[in-house]
Each structure stands twice: as C-alpha cells, then as structure tokens.
Amino acid sequence: MTLDDIKKEVRDIPDFPSKGILFKDLTTVFKNAQCIQLLASELHAIYKDKGITKIIGIESRGFVMGSMLSLTLNAGFVPIRKKGKLPADCYEIEYQLEYGSAIIELHKDALNKNDVVLIHDDLLATGGTLAAAIRLVKMAGVKKIYTNTLVELEFLKGKEVIDNDVEFRTLIKY
Ligand code: AMP
C-alpha cells in the first residue's frame, strides 16, 4: 500500500453538494483499514519530532485522522466546530464560502501560550476554512502552528491564503 494506492481509493462524486463541484469522498479511504494505517503512519512520521502538544481537528472530517494522530503523537485533541455546537465560551470567526459565509468556533480555554499545535482537516480546496481556523488559533495565542490536510486540490491555489508563518503539508495532491 502506497499513497498512490490511497489516491485510487478516493471516490469522485460529481455535482455534490452543489452543481459544478467534484466532491472528493474520503469515506472510501477511511473504510479501508490498510489506508487508515498508512495515513496514520505517514502523518506520524512527519510530525513526531515537532513537539506537538495539541491536534486541532476541523469539523467534521478533520476529526477522523486528527484524533488518531493525537493518540500516536501523545497530544491532546481540540475541535473547531461550526457555530452553536461547542458548549462553553468560544472565539468565533466568520469567513466567506463560495456562496454566503460560515462561522466557526474554538473554546477559549482549549489552548495556551505554550502549545505547539497541528491544525488538521481532510482536504484543502480554496483554503478559506483553514485560513479562518488559523486566525481562530492566533486569537487564542499559541507558541507555534503547523497545518495539514490529507488531500490538496492544488489547482484551487488554497495555499496562497495560508499565512506565510504557518507551515502547510499535505499527503495527496490533485
Ligand atoms: P475550502 O475552505 O474551500 O478549502 O474547503 C475546505 C473544506 O470543505 C474541507 O473541510 C473539505 O472537507 C470541504 N471541501 C471543499 N471542497 C471539497 C471537495 N471538492 N471535495 C471534498 N471536500 C471538499
């Protein structure tokens, strides 16, 4: 099993959730135990020596590998969720989607100034979600921020909206 084999397992769904979007469905990857093992070991190899104290998973597809990585890296797990889902005091940020806008939230007491964090999501498209997540984490104030997705849609140039002081890595590119 290689990352190229995993790429072949990703299922393309045309016109989901709206017309013109080619949705990269990773449920076909996550249901395969060998794929999960390889993704977990590849991510572990990249981040094992970075001193990461917390993995921040972006709702909801970022929770899958994010929580596994928190186990293998011996780090805590912190969710970023859509507005109204987290029960305690939150930082919030509004950002633009293709149509309209969205608000995401992070618990105010989830992070501290000594944390080295890895923000994880399944996929980077336009980069709007990850850029907003970085702004949220900067509101909280941490020592260092790494970011990562399993898949990057390079042609959408999402990396261009990620702050220069934040390292971004991905495993599979289209
Ligand atoms: P963006 O903010 O445009 O980078 O979008 C990233 C978020 O939307 C991620 O949480 C992805 O799960 C989801 N997403 C956006 N576009 C796609 C796509 N073509 N296939 C699968 N997921 C997508």
Side-chain angles (χ1 to χ4, degrees):
M1 173 76 57
T2 66
L3 288 173
D4 271 342
D5 297 324
I6 293 185
K7 197 170 179 177
K8 289 180 201 136
E9 295 294 319
V10 175
R11 174 164 58 184
D12 284 352
I13 311 270
D15 299 322
F16 182 89
S18 53
K19 204 158 175 53
I21 304 280
L22 182 62
F23 192 83
K24 297 288 181 192
D25 177 19
L26 296 185
T27 63
T28 45
V29 171
F30 293 149
K31 76 175 182 186
N32 181 322
Q34 283 178 295
C35 292
I36 291 267
Q37 293 282 344
L38 183 65
L39 291 174
S41 70
E42 291 280 331
L43 290 173
H44 181 78
I46 295 171
Y47 294 105
K48 65 181 176 2
D49 298 322
K50 309 253 192 230
I52 289 176
T53 56
K54 302 235 172 70
I55 307 292
I56 302 174
I58 300 180
E59 182 179 358
S60 58
R61 290 182 286 265
F63 293 174
V64 180
M65 295 307 304
S67 54
M68 281 184 227
L69 201 50
S70 79
L71 186 69
T72 67
L73 290 177
N74 192 27
F77 181 83
V78 168
I80 282 182
R81 300 201 65 185
K82 290 166 192 124
K83 188 175 173 64
K85 305 279 188 184
L86 290 172
D89 269 358
C90 287
Y91 296 109
E92 67 169 52
I93 195 148
E94 185 168 10
Y95 65 102
Q96 296 308 307
L97 297 171
E98 205 176 345
Y99 304 110
S101 63
I103 297 175
I104 51 174
E105 293 185 326
L106 168 71
H107 272 152
K108 281 190 175 168
D109 63 358
L111 303 170
N112 66 65
K113 62 179 172 32
N114 295 319
D115 275 324
V116 176
V117 305
L118 171 62
I119 307 175
H120 169 81
D121 201 0
D122 66 331
L123 182 139
L124 187 82
T126 64
T129 308
L130 188 56
I134 290 168
R135 275 154 67 203
L136 263 185
V137 171
K138 285 186 171 176
M139 279 181 205
V142 296
K143 197 163 157 193
K144 182 149 181 74
I145 305 173
Y146 295 93
T147 62
N148 154 277
T149 61
L150 303 176
V151 174
E152 177 189 1
L153 305 182
E154 267 191 310
F155 54 92
L156 292 176
K157 304 190 190 312
K159 255 193 310 216
E160 289 178 8
V161 301
I162 295 172
D163 293 352
N164 288 333
D165 60 336
V166 173
E167 181 188 300
F168 171 77
R169 298 277 299 263
T170 195
L171 298 182
I172 297 166
K173 293 180 183 180
Y174 289 91

